[in-house]
Amino acid sequence: MFDNLIRSAVLGFAVGDALGVPVEFKTREYLKTNPVNDMIGYGSHNQPPGTWSDDTSMLLCTMESLAQGYDLQNIADSFVKWFSEGYWTARGNVFDIGNTTLEAIKKLMSGVSPKESGRDDENSNGNGSLMRILPLAFTLIDKPIDVQFTIIREVSAITHAHTRSVLACLYYVRIAQSIIAGKTKFKAYEEATYL
């Protein structure tokens, strides 16, 4: 059953990402008059229907690495492989990457440790690490909260080390873990906010 939950989470993530790629950066007003009801393509990034973004690619890199055990350098290396070789991309090329993530990956490529690659200033406080953190909900589910926080902080900080980014990842993982345990989204939110 746990394997089915992982498969469902990853497929749901990739489908949602692929639905969003053609309308990334569009306004709410645009989406109200042009709702996404099917896989479309050639919008914001000029990609064919069903193409997922950097978010799914980096999530898949994280998952694959975690399947071999927790190794921060291995996760970072897989991000470099994604960026430089198109690894885990939908169509073999990287067509989108956030500025903070790009800067961190360039640091990794130059030999900077993954513990030092992510910026922690206010201006680098984006959602790039949040988009790829879901696999930790599964691998950390039985770990104490202090261990979870340490690992979540390290994985987020490969690209996004600002406290707000790290805490968002922690809350997201905790909410996902409650949903995995069969709780409603409302109960999951309540439990996550009372750590």
Side-chain angles (χ1 to χ4, degrees):
M1 183 172 113
F2 201 63
D3 287 346
N4 286 337
L5 288 173
I6 295 170
R7 188 177 299 110
S8 296
V10 173
L11 288 174
F13 188 96
V15 167
D17 187 19
L19 286 166
V21 163
V23 294
E24 189 173 17
F25 312 122
K26 301 293 185 192
T27 64
R28 286 181 188 263
E29 292 73 29
Y30 174 87
L31 291 170
K32 283 179 185 175
T33 58
N34 301 281
V36 177
N37 297 317
D38 199 357
M39 286 290 174
I40 58 174
Y42 306 105
S44 300
H45 297 286
N46 197 32
Q47 297 295 310
T51 304
W52 64 70
S53 77
D54 56 326
D55 298 333
T56 298
S57 295
M58 295 183 81
L59 178 137
L60 293 170
C61 286
T62 303
M63 267 190 82
E64 181 179 53
S65 179
L66 290 172
Q68 302 166 42
Y70 178 63
D71 181 336
L72 191 65
Q73 185 65 54
N74 186 268
I75 296 171
D77 291 345
S78 70
F79 294 167
V80 169
K81 187 174 180 181
W82 159 74
F83 178 72
S84 61
E85 300 175 22
Y87 190 64
W88 278 119
T89 61
R91 305 200 186 281
N93 67 312
V94 175
F95 61 86
D96 186 31
I97 184 170
N99 293 332
T100 303
T101 300
L102 176 61
E103 183 178 327
I105 289 177
K106 285 183 176 180
K107 286 181 182 176
L108 292 168
M109 292 171 79
S110 72
V112 173
S113 163
K115 291 188 176 187
E116 303 293 327
S117 54
R119 288 176 39 192
D120 64 359
D121 62 286
E122 185 76 22
N123 292 329
S124 60
N125 180 33
N127 67 354
S129 60
L130 185 67
M131 298 296 104
R132 58 178 165 76
I133 208 75
L134 182 60
L136 290 177
F138 293 96
T139 60
L140 298 177
I141 203 159
D142 295 328
K143 305 283 190 238
I145 187 65
D146 58 325
V147 173
Q148 289 194 38
F149 179 74
T150 298
I151 293 173
I152 290 166
R153 180 180 45 74
E154 288 179 352
V155 174
S156 174
I158 295 171
T159 57
H160 293 72
H162 190 276
T163 302
R164 200 173 298 127
S165 295
V166 173
L167 287 175
C169 289
L170 175 65
Y171 284 122
Y172 183 69
V173 166
R174 298 292 291 174
I175 288 169
Q177 288 172 339
S178 291
I179 291 170
I180 291 164
K183 310 248 171 92
T184 67
K185 62 184 175 184
F186 302 108
K187 186 65 174 171
Y189 173 78
E190 180 185 324
E191 289 181 355
T193 55
Y194 294 105
L195 295 175

